[in-house]
Amino acid sequence: MEDYKMFIGGKWVDAASGERFTSINPATGGPVGTAPRGGAEDVERAVREAKRAFGAWKDIDADERGRFLLRVASLIRERSEHLARLLATESGHYIKKARALVEGTARVFEFHAGLADKVRGDVIPVPGERISFTRLEPLGVTAHIVPWNYPLFVMARSCAPALALGNTVVVKPSEETPLITLELAKVIREAGVPDGVFNVVTGYGPEAGAPLASHPDVEGITFTGSVETGKEVMRMASGHVAKVCLELGGKTPLIVFPDAEVEQAVEAALQGILSRAGQVCIATSRLLVHRELHGRFVKELAGRMEEVRLGDPLDEDTQMGPIISKRQLDKIAQYVDSGVQEGAKLVTGGRQPEDPALRRGFYYLPTLLDEVGPYMKVAQDEIFGPVLCVIPWEEEERMLETANGVRYGLAASVWTRDIKKALRTARKLEAGVVFVNDWVAEYVQAPHGGYKESGVLRENGLECIVNYTRVKNTVVQLKERPEETWWDAPL
Ligand code: NAI
Ligand code: MG
């Protein structure tokens, strides 16, 4: 067990209060280590350091900034097994997936390393002999409030572009996963990133996250988490008119037409709800399957769900790890109960496993709820657990109403062999990402983000550039002596 320090201005420090909190291993309920319980004073210090570092960081040649990120990526690879094991232990990702996520995190740094010197402005044809040209300048100090479900990857997808484009960064990791974040801070320090450019304040949301989001010197805030906290962050940002980028989860429908490739669609439905035990923003938590295939689907899915190997995330054979915390576990159980009370049929799961070894941790069985009504609570809210709600349909128009009939709009998945039908459906879906006959996934090259209450702005791809830059338009008169006098000049 290690007592970690947080990372501010290039130094490893304790909280000003001297207090600490414990990070829990969700597979056992036991401690992994402790982290400083940061508060407003620590945030103040981190923002001050980030502000001080900004001047020099933004003026470094862009390709040089990119090279820092390449070094980060290569150090992540050098220490990938160590990082993957801590990620598995602290957050409950099974080891095979944890390794893939560490590799994915390295890729994110590489992508944005390459982006650093390719971001440029425009020359604009304004009237007269003038040149109007834009420069994309960094914002300054950016805050990154990160959840626990993908602590490395989600942090990287916003911090890497922010750094590449010349911003400085203050990260507030989730209180569930502070240690893996501080391990990444070690990597960033070793890569030689100058002091104050990257800072981490660990602590609880209201104590450390709120002062960060409200800080007047924070120019940009990227938040991933719940809708409620996202709205709160938006309100805090309004106090100093900061730019906000929000990714707030979803209620992704997986839509199966009668002509779908059934075996592949079943496999995708399993991946979409069981990957990371359903604690995924784009989890396909609603299965909108046509009545013709409904019986076959439910039977197949239930059988496959009962074979899933739950276990210690460090065990090479484990296919599904625990839920992050007792609180989340209880929340999932309450949702399943509410579904049954509202008339859904519990086909399998709906409880914790019997195995006493798993009972120590926060495990929940893969769960299938059938004959779910589109307006039941389980069909409307993000459960964030391995709970699949089956909503059978007969009529396409009604199915689309159901698919769009939630406050979320992050992603959707469409299964049909008819390409025209697939693309017609994709057009009608209110979702930021639509997958056709494929897994739900996230690629650093392509935009990710939501419609409606699932969020604003986009992460990944070239779309993320707008999150971490602001436009400066410069207008230059080229004539030695313009004919206009002040009263016939524009405006
Ligand atoms: P949360 O939204 O409360 O936490 C996310 C981050 O925000 C954490 O770092 C937390 O410390 C911080 N935070 C909390 N309160 C804050 C405040 N007042 N000001 C500033 N920062 C604050 O989410 P939580 O409680 O961990 O999970 C609750 C639900 O949120 C989940 O059941 C799930 O439905 C959803 N969620 C969605 C995620 C996504 O990927 N979109 C990720 C994690 C959770
Ligand atoms: Mg933990």
Side-chain angles (χ1 to χ4, degrees):
M1 236 192 67
E2 188 177 335
D3 294 321
Y4 281 73
K5 297 199 180 224
M6 55 189 181
F7 190 59
I8 299 179
K11 295 193 178 61
W12 298 104
V13 297
D14 283 311
S17 69
E19 285 185 54
R20 312 196 130 255
F21 66 103
T22 304
S23 173
I24 300 294
N25 176 348
T28 62
V32 185
T34 70
R37 183 168 169 172
E41 210 177 309
D42 307 293
V43 166
E44 185 60 45
R45 197 167 151 203
V47 173
R48 200 188 321 126
E49 292 292 338
K51 197 174 173 186
R52 197 191 334 239
F54 174 62
W57 181 246
K58 76 168 167 27
D59 288 337
I60 292 179
D61 287 345
D63 62 338
E64 179 65 24
R65 277 200 308 269
R67 277 193 291 278
F68 280 109
L69 298 197
L70 285 180
R71 280 199 288 277
V72 170
S74 90
L75 284 167
I76 289 175
R77 288 217 174 81
E78 264 175 42
R79 120 179 17 166
S80 59
E81 190 57 21
H82 172 69
L83 290 171
R85 293 184 82 80
L86 181 60
L87 181 63
T89 308
E90 189 182 39
S91 83
H93 272 291
Y94 57 89
I95 188 68
K96 193 162 172 256
K97 189 53 64 82
R99 287 189 189 115
L101 285 164
V102 170
E103 168 60 24
T105 303
R107 283 289 302 117
V108 168
F109 276 98
E110 284 166 352
F111 177 84
H112 294 291
L115 186 66
D117 62 351
K118 291 167 195 70
V119 167
R120 55 193 181 188
D122 288 316
V123 178
I124 300 156
V126 293
E129 278 183 54
R130 296 183 175 86
I131 291 180
S132 161
F133 66 93
T134 58
R135 255 169 65 83
L136 301 188
E137 298 183 342
L139 304 178
V141 179
T142 57
H144 305 255
I145 302 178
V146 180
W148 41 263
N149 55 340
Y150 291 87
L152 277 186
F153 188 81
V154 169
M155 173 177 58
R157 82 181 176 194
S158 72
C159 292
L163 293 170
L165 301 177
N167 301 275
T168 55
V169 159
V170 180
V171 181
K172 208 299 283 174
S174 166
E175 47 274 47
E176 307 287 357
T177 48
L179 308 186
I180 186 68
T181 313
L182 291 168
E183 281 295 327
L184 197 83
K186 290 182 188 170
V187 167
I188 287 181
R189 183 182 201 221
E190 247 173 81
V193 173
D195 293 354
V197 168
F198 179 87
N199 307 273
V200 181
V201 178
T202 50
Y204 293 91
E207 293 173 12
L212 181 59
S214 330
H215 199 292
D217 289 336
V218 167
E219 299 281 348
I221 306 168
T222 300
F223 172 86
T224 307
S226 63
V227 172
E228 280 58 44
T229 309
K231 288 178 180 173
E232 193 61 41
V233 164
M234 218 171 189
R235 273 190 288 274
M236 290 188 268
S238 76
H240 54 290
V241 198
K243 184 179 275 188
V244 268
C245 172
L246 303 175
E247 203 268 71
L248 309 179
K251 195 73 191 173
T252 298
L254 188 152
I255 298 168
V256 182
F257 283 94
D259 65 343
E261 192 79 65
V262 172
E263 267 171 45
Q264 284 171 30
V266 165
E267 203 65 26
L270 290 167
Q271 176 254 1
I273 195 62
L274 300 184
S275 174
R276 215 271 178 269
Q279 304 163 106
V280 182
C281 53
I282 55 175
T284 53
S285 50
R286 294 184 296 156
L287 176 65
L288 274 53
V289 59
H290 193 273
R291 274 276 177 214
E292 266 178 40
L293 295 176
H294 170 239
R296 188 170 158 201
F297 247 83
V298 168
K299 189 157 170 273
E300 187 79 12
L301 280 171
R304 296 285 301 280
M305 280 180 159
E306 283 160 15
E307 286 166 6
V308 172
R309 290 191 300 272
L310 275 71
D312 183 340
L314 291 178
D315 190 332
E316 298 286 339
D317 291 330
T318 293
Q319 293 178 318
M320 199 173 111
I323 305 305
I324 190 69
S325 64
K326 177 76 171 57
R327 184 170 73 103
Q328 287 291 127
L329 180 69
D330 292 344
K331 183 180 149 190
I332 294 166
Q334 279 164 18
Y335 268 115
V336 173
D337 290 348
S338 91
V340 172
Q341 271 161 30
E342 283 192 83
K345 239 172 69 190
L346 178 64
V347 182
T348 186
R351 59 183 172 81
Q352 287 179 261
E354 303 292 351
D355 182 349
L358 299 183
R359 281 286 174 140
R360 290 188 302 150
F362 314 127
Y363 288 85
Y364 199 80
L365 288 173
T367 298
L368 192 62
L369 286 174
D370 193 15
E371 299 293 349
V372 172
Y375 299 105
M376 289 182 190
K377 231 162 106 71
V378 283
Q380 288 289 318
D381 295 357
E382 182 178 56
I383 300 175
F384 233 55
V387 181
L388 181 59
C389 295
V390 182
I391 308 176
W393 59 275
E394 271 155 312
E395 204 195 308
E396 193 172 320
E397 278 309 303
R398 294 281 300 283
M399 178 276 287
L400 283 167
E401 274 168 35
T402 302
N404 289 332
V406 292
R407 65 175 171 152
Y408 292 103
L410 186 56
S413 166
V414 180
W415 289 81
T416 167
R417 282 183 242 214
D418 177 342
I419 187 67
K420 289 190 182 180
K421 195 194 290 171
L423 295 184
R424 240 181 2 247
T425 307
R427 258 196 200 194
K428 290 178 186 159
L429 288 167
E430 293 167 357
V433 198
V434 181
F435 301 92
V436 177
N437 300 331
D438 201 5
W439 314 113
V440 289
E442 191 183 324
Y443 304 98
V444 68
Q445 299 86 354
H448 168 95
Y451 280 29
K452 301 196 281 188
E453 292 194 18
S454 284
V456 286
L457 296 180
R458 292 292 175 269
E459 299 200 73
N460 301 334
L462 301 183
E463 283 74 7
C464 80
I465 294 167
V466 71
N467 306 358
Y468 304 106
T469 55
R470 45 193 173 186
V471 177
K472 178 173 285 171
N473 174 25
T474 304
V475 183
V476 187
Q477 173 61 268
L478 296 182
K479 272 193 189 160
E480 285 299 342
R481 211 177 271 280
E483 294 91 47
E484 302 126 324
T485 59
W486 73 265
W487 67 90
D488 51 25
L491 266 196

